Amino acid sequence: MATRSFKQALNLRWRRIWLPRLRRRALFVVGGVFVGLAAVAMAFMADGAQHLFRMAQHQWPYLPLLITPAGFAFLAWVTQRYFNGAQGSGIPQVIAARQMTDLKAKQKLVSPKLAVAKMFLLSAGLLLGASAGREGPTVQVGASVMFWLGRFAPHRQPGLLLAGAAGGVAAAFNAPLAGIVFGIEEMSRSFELRTSGLVLGTVIVAGLTSLAILGDYTYFGRSAVTLEIGAQWIAVPVVGLVCGLAGGGFSRVVIAFAVGLPGRAGRVIKKHPVLFAAICGMIVAVAGVLTGGAAFGTSAEEAKAILAGEDITGLFGPLKLIATIATAISGIPGGIFSPSLSIGAGFATLLQGMLHIPIGALAIMCMAAYLAAVLQAPITAFVIVTEMTGNHALIFPVMMCAVIASFVSKSVCKEGIYHALAHQILRKSQSERNIT
């Protein structure tokens, strides 16, 4: 009798405690695999689209002046009409979704439909020359995958969106530490102890999935440049100041357009979003043509060339900044991670004549500083750049540049771009609920 009671108690414990825990852990592992596969698929699609555009632009240099404005207008119309919520990078949508309690409101920001649309619309934008990256969109896709898998969970799982977002960054950049830090510093601004192990597991699995398919690589190659102790360190505050002002200015402009410009200009843009997207597309096209095509797409190859010491036109940094602003405010899907790193590398070419340090070292410092200024997340910035360049010799000057730039950026723009845009999404959602 006692044996039978013990077996019943054991069976009850299995069904009520151990089985739900096993299902929960399996959910995050399976989710990591799917997030990794989605990141790889986005990488192939995005790279293929950029390659086709570069081939066409090389043969017909002024073709973007025709197809980019028309393409931006079409993508803005399609996104607004059929896939509202897929605009921009997607990271603000995930931050906003994590703060929502209403399931239907969340589904407007993270869902399988939006994930698939994001992948194809982003690739279409790159096919048209948009100055955009795939890493931010991968965050929204990863969060959408995990949100959809949540329906199979034994009960509500608060860490799913965070795990999907962090796994997306890890798989997109082949940078697992960056994924973890991004999840802590940027997505949640804290670390949830109850889900920490599951989030880390998803990041690891997503990263390993990407690694198994694409192999071990660093996004910008490997760099061994160093900075000599002494006079060369004068570059640190200069880089922090210049990139902090530029990154803060970028964020302030993008946020201003998202909130809505005051006066007649704001009303016209709101009334004619498709026409505005076409104007943005023309700005991108002109910037790209003036740089010989360098400002189109992610400009990752140009950033690699700068790191390697190759000559790039001094106009590349400022024109890439303008092209990225135009893409970000146009209303089409596209991320700002990779373009921001390329902008930072571009600013290095402008500063080298004044600072007289190796261009490779200066580019790494500027990349981290500019990204930190845009995100106002210095730890995420220097970890991402360190992993993407494989350079650990510069870790201290890179950390200092990122911290200074983030501090300077706050004097220009009070809040990091992703959280400011997320707050705008939340306000809009609340307004729609009040109307209904």
Side-chain angles (χ1 to χ4, degrees):
M1 190 70 179
T3 303
R4 185 177 179 182
S5 298
F6 175 74
K7 287 182 178 179
Q8 288 177 340
L10 193 64
N11 185 49
L12 184 64
R13 186 174 181 82
W14 163 256
R15 285 188 289 108
R16 290 187 176 180
I17 301 177
W18 295 337
L19 184 59
R21 285 182 180 176
L22 182 62
R23 286 177 59 191
R24 186 184 185 208
R25 284 160 174 73
L27 181 71
F28 280 82
V29 172
V30 171
V33 173
F34 279 107
V35 171
L37 290 174
V40 171
M42 289 188 72
F44 279 120
M45 292 171 66
D47 291 347
Q50 287 191 94
H51 178 68
L52 290 174
F53 176 82
R54 289 291 176 100
M55 287 177 59
Q57 198 265 334
H58 180 73
Q59 189 166 357
W60 301 290
Y62 298 104
L63 180 65
L65 296 174
L66 176 64
I67 67 169
T68 304
F72 269 48
F74 176 73
L75 289 179
W77 176 77
V78 169
T79 303
Q80 187 177 46
R81 176 144 190 185
Y82 298 106
F83 306 106
N84 195 24
Q87 295 91 339
S89 76
I91 294 176
Q93 287 91 322
V94 179
I95 294 174
R98 293 192 71 245
Q99 299 179 41
M100 292 177 173
T101 55
D102 183 63
L103 188 62
K104 290 184 178 179
K106 283 189 176 187
Q107 288 175 336
K108 293 180 179 180
L109 301 176
V110 283
S111 68
K113 175 186 173 181
L114 281 183
V116 174
K118 194 83 171 188
M119 295 172 71
F120 283 96
L121 291 172
L122 169 68
S123 300
L126 292 171
L127 188 61
L128 295 165
S131 179
R134 59 178 166 82
E135 293 75 25
T138 305
V139 169
Q140 189 176 15
V141 171
S144 296
V145 168
M146 296 300 287
F147 181 74
W148 178 77
L149 287 174
R151 65 179 61 194
F152 303 107
H155 49 79
R156 189 180 74 87
Q157 299 296 332
L160 283 172
L161 294 182
L162 177 60
V169 170
F173 284 122
N174 188 33
L177 287 178
I180 294 166
V181 173
F182 176 78
I184 298 171
E185 186 180 34
E186 188 62 18
M187 290 303 302
S188 67
R189 296 288 167 101
S190 64
F191 205 34
E192 301 170 7
L193 294 177
R194 284 192 305 143
T195 59
S196 60
L198 298 175
V199 172
L200 293 178
T202 304
V203 170
I204 292 169
V205 173
L208 287 176
T209 302
S210 174
L211 183 67
I213 299 173
L214 299 178
D216 189 16
Y217 70 97
T218 49
Y219 197 94
F220 288 114
R222 295 189 179 276
S223 171
V225 292
T226 60
L227 202 65
E228 295 179 6
I229 298 292
Q232 289 189 346
W233 279 64
I234 295 174
V236 171
V238 176
V239 167
L241 176 62
V242 173
C243 292
L245 291 173
F250 170 87
S251 296
R252 183 159 185 171
V253 171
V254 174
I255 293 167
F257 275 90
V259 173
L261 296 181
R264 184 180 178 185
R267 292 193 298 271
V268 171
I269 291 172
K270 188 175 182 179
K271 188 176 180 180
H272 304 285
V274 174
L275 176 61
F276 179 69
I279 295 172
C280 291
M282 181 57 73
I283 294 172
V284 173
V286 171
V289 169
L290 289 177
T291 56
F296 291 122
T298 64
S299 299
E301 293 302 318
E302 285 71 23
K304 288 180 183 178
I306 293 171
L307 284 167
E310 298 179 22
D311 290 331
I312 298 290
T313 173
L315 292 174
F316 169 67
L319 288 176
K320 181 64 179 176
L321 174 61
I322 292 170
T324 306
I325 289 175
T327 301
I329 65 178
S330 67
I332 71 170
I336 61 173
F337 256 112
S338 290
S340 293
L341 295 169
S342 299
I343 291 167
F347 274 102
T349 64
L350 295 176
L351 295 174
Q352 188 188 24
M354 178 177 65
L355 297 174
H356 304 292
I357 66 173
I359 186 61
L362 186 57
I364 292 173
M365 292 160 63
C366 286
M367 289 161 69
Y370 182 81
L371 184 62
V374 172
L375 304 183
Q376 293 185 7
I379 301 175
T380 297
F382 82 73
V383 169
I384 283 179
V385 171
T386 299
E387 282 198 281
M388 290 175 69
T389 60
N391 187 306
H392 298 279
L394 286 172
I395 190 165
F396 288 112
V398 167
M399 287 170 63
M400 292 172 65
C401 286
V403 171
I404 294 171
S406 181
F407 176 78
V408 172
S409 174
K410 290 183 191 322
S411 67
V412 179
C413 184
K414 293 182 180 180
E415 192 173 19
I417 188 169
Y418 291 142
H419 285 268
L421 295 178
H423 292 156
Q424 177 63 17
I425 292 171
L426 289 169
R427 284 192 291 268
K428 184 178 178 181
S429 177
Q430 183 62 47
S431 175
E432 290 175 351
R433 285 202 299 271
N434 290 340
I435 293 174
T436 55

